[in-house]
Amino acid sequence: MSPVERPDDNPEELEKDLDQAALDFRQTYYGPDNDPVPPAAMAELAPEVMRLVDSVIYGEIYNRPAVDLKTRSLCTISALVVLGHSPQMIKRHISGALHVGVTREEISEIIAQMVFYGGMPAAVNAFRMAKEAFDESPDGLTSGEVQARQSASA
């Protein structure tokens, strides 16, 4: 059951449940050693907004059972690519998607499709962020790519 579906809880307990669910999710999505820090300016100037965003998005939305995590990750990447406002958020979500099993090919296909919705400049920036995320992570490789990397480094 989702933390939000318990109206009998008091608000402080509900807030703690969402905060814990957000923390648990971030550990799953990004990995225990790769939890990105929030944008510095927002964390400094509006920490309560950051906590709210974190608890609602990661504590509630991403934990809803109707859509699997890989699909949610691809939807998030698509939205960020089309908006084109934050290359670092695109990269962060690509890293998270890789960590939960989305392949590099799937991510690349989604970005390519977004050329027609967000424009070429947005897609070019997203591909640049994808390349950085791919280069920094062993996640999302096919078994053939893993073997090729191992052979190249041997």
Side-chain angles (χ1 to χ4, degrees), residues 26-48:
R26 290 171 72 87
Q27 295 279 315
T28 298
Y29 193 60
Y30 296 111
D33 300 323
N34 190 29
D35 192 11
V37 295
M42 193 166 181
E44 179 184 336
L45 300 174
E48 69 286 350

Side-chain angles (χ1 to χ4, degrees), residues 66-85:
V67 177
D68 66 89
L69 185 53
K70 287 181 178 184
T71 303
R72 286 193 191 279
S73 294
L74 290 169
C75 289
T76 301
I77 292 167
S78 299
L80 291 170
V81 169
V82 169
L83 290 170
H85 299 306

Side-chain angles (χ1 to χ4, degrees), residues 5-7 11 21-23 25 38 56-57 69 75 77-78 92 95 100 104 111 115-116 127 133 144 151:
E5 293 175 359
R6 297 184 306 207
L23 178 65
F25 172 81
V56 172
I57 296 295
L69 185 53
C75 289
I77 292 167
S78 299
R92 178 185 315 176
S95 296
V100 297
R104 293 163 185 239
I111 295 171
V115 166
F116 300 99
F127 277 120
S151 296

